[in-house]
Amino acid sequence: MSQKIITAKVIISAWDKEPLFEGALVIEGEVIKDIGPQEKILKLYPEAQVFDFAQNGMVFPGLVNAHTHCSMTIFRGLADDLPLMSWLENYIFPVEKHLKPRWVYWGAKLAVAEMLRSGVTLFADMYIFEPEVIRVVEETGIRGLLGEGLFDFPSPGYGPLEKGLALTESLLRDFERHPRLKIMVCPHATYTCGPETLKKAKALAERFGARVHIHLSENRDEINMIEARYGKRPPEHLLDIGLLDENLLIAHGVELNKSEIDLLSRYQVKVAHCPESNLKLASGIAPVPAMLEAGITVALGTDGPASNNDLDLLGEMRTATLIQKGTHLEATVLPARQVLGLATELGAKALGFEQCGRLEPGYAADLAVLDLTKSHLTPLYDPFSLLVYSAKSGDIAAVMVGGDFLLYEGQIKSLDEDQTRGEVLAISQEIRDLLRQKG
Ligand SMILES: [Zn+2]
């Protein structure tokens, strides 16, 4: 089996380990085989092909974007600074009614380029026409946990709900043994899916041991709506329907009280925290330190790029820690190391990719290399601080998924970025025309 060696100025093998300076990683096939000092590793594996970042590279585990609707790159900047409901009802929903598979495909392709350039190697995605996103994941080599968004009302993607469930089932079957791709069942939210839909989604997921992914407790309006409809708050509503368990991944979890945090912890529910989307849509700030304290697996997500407006996980890490410090009036809360943990090992665990998130023997060779030659990345005292507080998405020199370089020497393999940008620009003109016709 082919062996590769990556040498680096410094390697962060895991968020809870000390960084290794002048280190080297050995990759055999798709996994990490060894890690150690450069001199020793180069002697031990003389046949391996060497990729040299020894002067200016910092290697770290590939980042995990735990919640997005990545094809919404096509709506980036279409309408901003609006309340959630008028943004949705006047702009997003009217255009999504006319959504085309081709739009979702090119939107996802642009998104994968953007994510790779910010060091993302695994992402969770829920959208309409999700088979198009699946196609992009297959073509590009990135890892994904993907699912078609399910609603009580007809979807432009599949029509009536029953067809959405059938589509999800066939995807679960088709990709049961895929090395990089898993399917999840995605009832959109408790206000778009009634109890019957949620029960059907859960039953389907259970047959395949799959994740269920849902937006939950995102803002006060949602709490009020669910309380008015069912006489209880969203977590208790899901408990009564039977959805709470270790296979449930919720997005947001902003409006959670102490007893709800305990409830989610007891049932080992996973949470995808999306700080920038929560700030932009004025939803609030999730109680991340309290969730971590309670032992909840908290991951980090960007949410759709139309409510962020980017897919930059490095920026998301920085926002996640800064907003907690600012609201707790406590500088020690959610330190750089811990927030990297959310974006790597905890993210991978939340998505059910237990083999990812650390660079240790036996783990998947999913990693990114930071280019240390930049002015704003100089000098280097603490690798964790540098990564979380100073690094930006343009600083990533290389990205590897499953032992293959997807980004190397400035080029993304198996994805033509110029063509992709051109296609999305053309789509944005179609969207402009559509909105103009609506007047
Ligand atoms: Zn979302």
Side-chain angles (χ1 to χ4, degrees):
M1 210 181 291
S2 82
Q3 286 182 340
K4 296 185 180 89
I5 289 176
I6 297 178
T7 59
K9 178 91 188 159
V10 55
I11 298 174
I12 293 177
S13 61
W15 65 279
D16 55 354
K17 284 268 182 78
E18 286 315 303
L20 174 64
F21 284 84
E22 321 298 339
L25 275 173
V26 183
I27 291 132
E28 191 171 75
E30 295 172 13
V31 300
I32 308 285
K33 183 179 172 64
D34 205 351
I35 179 171
Q38 276 162 29
E39 225 173 291
K40 180 183 154 205
I41 291 288
L42 290 167
K43 249 183 232 153
L44 268 173
Y45 303 91
E47 305 290 310
Q49 189 183 4
V50 178
F51 296 86
D52 181 16
F53 295 97
Q55 294 304 312
N56 293 305
M58 180 164 106
V59 171
F60 60 97
L63 303 179
V64 181
N65 187 350
H67 176 70
T68 188
H69 320 282
C70 78
S71 300
M72 291 181 86
T73 46
I74 60 172
F75 301 133
R76 186 188 345 246
L78 173 69
D80 288 321
D81 307 321
L82 292 170
L84 175 62
M85 280 307 155
S86 64
W87 177 72
L88 281 175
E89 282 166 10
N90 296 324
Y91 293 92
I92 301 302
F93 287 162
V95 183
E96 278 186 340
K97 246 191 261 170
H98 301 272
L99 202 70
K100 298 170 177 64
R102 180 172 57 86
W103 292 6
V104 174
Y105 175 79
W106 287 108
K109 229 164 176 178
L110 189 73
V112 167
E114 188 184 347
M115 285 193 279
L116 287 173
R117 290 200 177 278
S118 85
V120 170
T121 52
L122 165 62
F123 71 106
D125 193 87
M126 168 206 299
Y127 203 49
I128 303 159
F129 294 119
E130 193 68 18
E132 298 297 320
V133 183
I134 291 173
R135 198 146 70 87
V136 170
V137 167
E138 285 196 284
E139 287 172 8
T140 56
I142 197 167
R143 250 181 248 277
L145 174 64
L146 314 169
E148 179 80 23
L150 303 170
F151 314 90
D152 284 342
F153 44 85
S155 155
Y158 52 77
L161 173 67
E162 290 311 318
K163 289 203 167 161
L165 289 163
L167 168 66
T168 304
E169 179 169 352
S170 73
L171 294 174
L172 282 163
R173 230 180 274 290
D174 290 351
F175 293 99
E176 215 168 357
R177 279 176 237 292
H178 196 284
R180 286 182 291 100
L181 200 160
K182 286 183 206 265
I183 302 297
M184 58 181 170
V185 185
C186 295
H188 170 263
T190 50
Y191 52 91
T192 48
C193 297
E196 281 316 304
T197 302
L198 294 174
K199 279 181 197 159
K200 284 177 187 167
K202 176 66 192 160
L204 176 59
E206 223 149 55
R207 278 170 47 207
F208 289 86
R211 284 277 188 276
V212 173
H213 188 31
I214 189 168
H215 294 90
L216 198 80
S217 303
E218 180 171 357
N219 62 23
R220 219 156 289 165
D221 287 348
E222 177 194 329
I223 309 294
N224 294 339
M225 217 181 322
I226 298 307
E227 268 189 329
R229 240 182 254 177
Y230 304 107
K232 48 199 146 186
R233 291 165 59 95
E236 199 193 344
H237 177 53
L238 286 195
L239 173 69
D240 291 350
I241 296 171
L243 255 74
L244 297 192
D245 66 17
E246 72 280 4
N247 275 323
L248 181 66
L249 171 64
I250 67 161
H252 301 303
V254 173
E255 286 286 333
L256 294 174
N257 60 35
K258 174 81 178 77
S259 69
E260 289 168 337
I261 291 172
D262 290 341
L263 180 71
L264 296 184
S265 166
R266 202 157 57 242
Y267 283 88
Q268 297 177 49
V269 173
K270 278 73 177 172
V271 178
H273 169 48
C274 304
E276 291 187 2
S277 170
N278 297 155
L279 291 174
K280 185 155 181 278
L281 296 173
S283 301
I285 294 173
V288 173
M291 287 194 264
L292 291 169
E293 181 83 6
I296 294 177
T297 301
V298 181
L300 208 54
T302 57
D303 207 351
S307 61
N308 187 302
N309 288 358
D310 61 35
L311 294 161
D312 179 359
L313 244 285
L314 293 162
E316 209 71 34
M317 286 199 288
R318 184 151 55 243
T319 303
T321 168
L322 294 183
I323 59 175
Q324 297 299 337
K325 293 177 198 307
T327 48
H328 284 79
L329 302 181
E330 171 60 66
T332 57
V333 86
L334 204 61
R337 243 181 208 275
Q338 196 174 19
V339 81
L340 180 64
L342 308 196
T344 54
E345 186 174 19
L346 271 65
K349 205 173 149 198
L351 272 53
F353 286 70
E354 313 277 345
Q355 80 278 27
C356 301
R358 298 175 77 87
L359 301 178
E360 289 171 350
Y363 278 83
D366 290 12
L367 56 88
V369 186
L370 191 70
D371 173 7
L372 296 172
T373 61
K374 309 279 168 126
S375 299
H376 63 273
L377 299 179
T378 309
L380 168 59
Y381 292 113
D382 179 334
F384 293 102
S385 289
L386 195 79
L387 189 59
V388 172
Y389 295 121
S390 305
K392 303 180 196 332
S393 62
D395 302 337
I396 302 297
V399 173
M400 175 180 270
V401 176
D404 277 334
F405 278 111
L406 302 190
L407 171 66
Y408 192 71
E409 292 182 329
Q411 292 297 314
I412 297 178
K413 200 177 97 175
S414 63
L415 188 163
D416 184 333
E417 256 183 311
D418 287 337
Q419 184 201 8
T420 304
R421 285 188 57 252
E423 294 287 346
V424 171
L425 284 172
I427 289 166
S428 72
Q429 192 53 50
E430 293 176 49
I431 292 170
R432 234 179 247 123
D433 292 345
L434 232 158
L435 284 169
R436 202 172 298 134
Q437 281 162 25
K438 306 226 147 268

